[in-house]
Amino acid sequence: MKSRITLIATLLCLMTAGSINGQPRSRSGYIPPAPRRGHSTISRHSSYAPNMYYGFRFGLSASHINSDAPELDGTTSKSGLNVGAVVGVQLAPQAPLFFETGLEYSEKGGKGNLNGEKFSIGLNYLEVPLLLKYSAYVRPAMAVEPFVGGYLSCGVGGKVKDYGTREAFSSFDDRYGANFKRFDGGLRVGCGLAYEMLYAELGYDFGLTNIGDNAFDDTHNGAFFLNIGVNF
């Protein structure tokens, strides 16, 4: 809990410092100015707008595990934390299409019941998103931004808790029979909304990698997420 509080406090300090020290402007770098009368309302980036942006993200996820293994399949949602930083680069000078990547900390997993005993699975990852994002102007200083792409993850922590035996062990440590692989990857889809420097997004991760050690039982992550943040 202390590490989470420290992480959140550090992020808020960075966001505040960026807002104070950053060059003042009425809209974030990748939201276009309002189009002139007679021009298309499709997002167009003027010559003064930079072709790169940086941002911080913070939010929550509701994750679950889908598996052929009966003890893992049908787990209920488990809430988790998302926090990270992103960078976006415009792919063409006259097109509002961006490639976005970064580094995020994400908590996934699930909860379930086996033979009348509750258990929970915590799978914490460092993730690298690889997204294509389209920025469409809808009103002054506001853009709707659907995105699609993928993500790559490496497990860095988490515990499997058996409430029946009152035991807990590392989710990724084979010495304890955890049976979860560290590597994960999949598809990510969603949509964001940007207003000046503020940003919010809603999306879903479709895990494609078998994260279970049993080759005969496919086990996959799935997670809804809601993030807020700022862009510079």
Side-chain angles (χ1 to χ4, degrees):
M1 179 61 70
K2 291 183 179 179
S3 62
R4 286 190 184 181
I5 294 175
T6 302
L7 185 61
I8 294 171
T10 302
L11 176 61
L12 292 176
C13 290
L14 290 173
M15 292 167 60
T16 303
S19 299
I20 294 174
N21 297 326
Q23 183 180 359
R25 49 190 173 186
S26 61
R27 51 179 64 88
S28 63
Y30 62 100
I31 299 178
R36 291 174 294 177
R37 181 173 299 178
H39 286 240
S40 170
T41 58
I42 298 298
S43 175
R44 299 290 181 183
H45 295 258
S46 66
S47 59
Y48 73 85
N51 61 357
M52 179 180 291
Y53 63 88
Y54 304 90
F56 296 104
R57 302 288 184 263
F58 173 77
L60 298 174
S61 64
S63 61
H64 57 277
I65 296 174
N66 300 310
S67 178
D68 295 335
E71 65 271 17
L72 296 178
D73 190 44
T75 58
T76 57
S77 295
K78 180 180 182 296
S79 61
L81 174 71
N82 300 321
V83 61
V86 300
V87 58
V89 179
Q90 191 172 3
L91 296 180
Q94 300 301 321
L97 184 66
F98 291 79
F99 172 73
E100 182 178 288
T101 186
L103 184 63
E104 303 171 345
Y105 170 78
S106 179
E107 297 178 344
K108 297 180 178 180
K111 298 186 294 185
N113 191 300
L114 180 63
N115 299 325
E117 302 293 347
K118 295 191 300 180
F119 68 88
S120 68
I121 301 170
L123 302 172
N124 305 333
Y125 296 96
L126 285 180
E127 295 187 341
V128 176
L130 303 166
L131 305 176
L132 288 177
K133 177 177 289 188
Y134 183 84
S135 180
Y137 168 86
V138 292
R139 56 179 300 180
M142 181 178 289
V144 173
E145 301 183 345
F147 56 85
V148 62
Y151 68 91
L152 299 174
S153 303
C154 179
V156 294
K159 290 187 178 297
V160 176
K161 297 180 180 180
D162 187 332
Y163 292 90
T165 61
R166 310 298 295 178
E167 293 180 337
F169 50 88
S170 173
S171 301
F172 300 108
D173 195 336
D174 291 337
R175 293 178 298 174
Y176 300 100
N179 295 324
F180 288 102
K181 299 175 182 177
R182 289 187 181 272
F183 177 77
D184 187 25
L187 300 177
R188 176 171 295 180
V189 296
C191 188
L193 179 65
Y195 178 72
E196 295 190 347
M197 296 181 68
L198 302 179
Y199 180 79
E201 65 182 5
L202 177 67
Y204 185 80
D205 286 345
F206 298 88
L208 299 180
T209 302
N210 182 9
I211 60 174
D213 279 339
N214 190 333
F216 294 97
D217 294 327
D218 282 342
T219 302
H220 304 279
N221 276 315
F224 290 97
F225 61 86
L226 174 63
N227 294 330
I228 59 175
V230 293
N231 291 320
F232 305 99

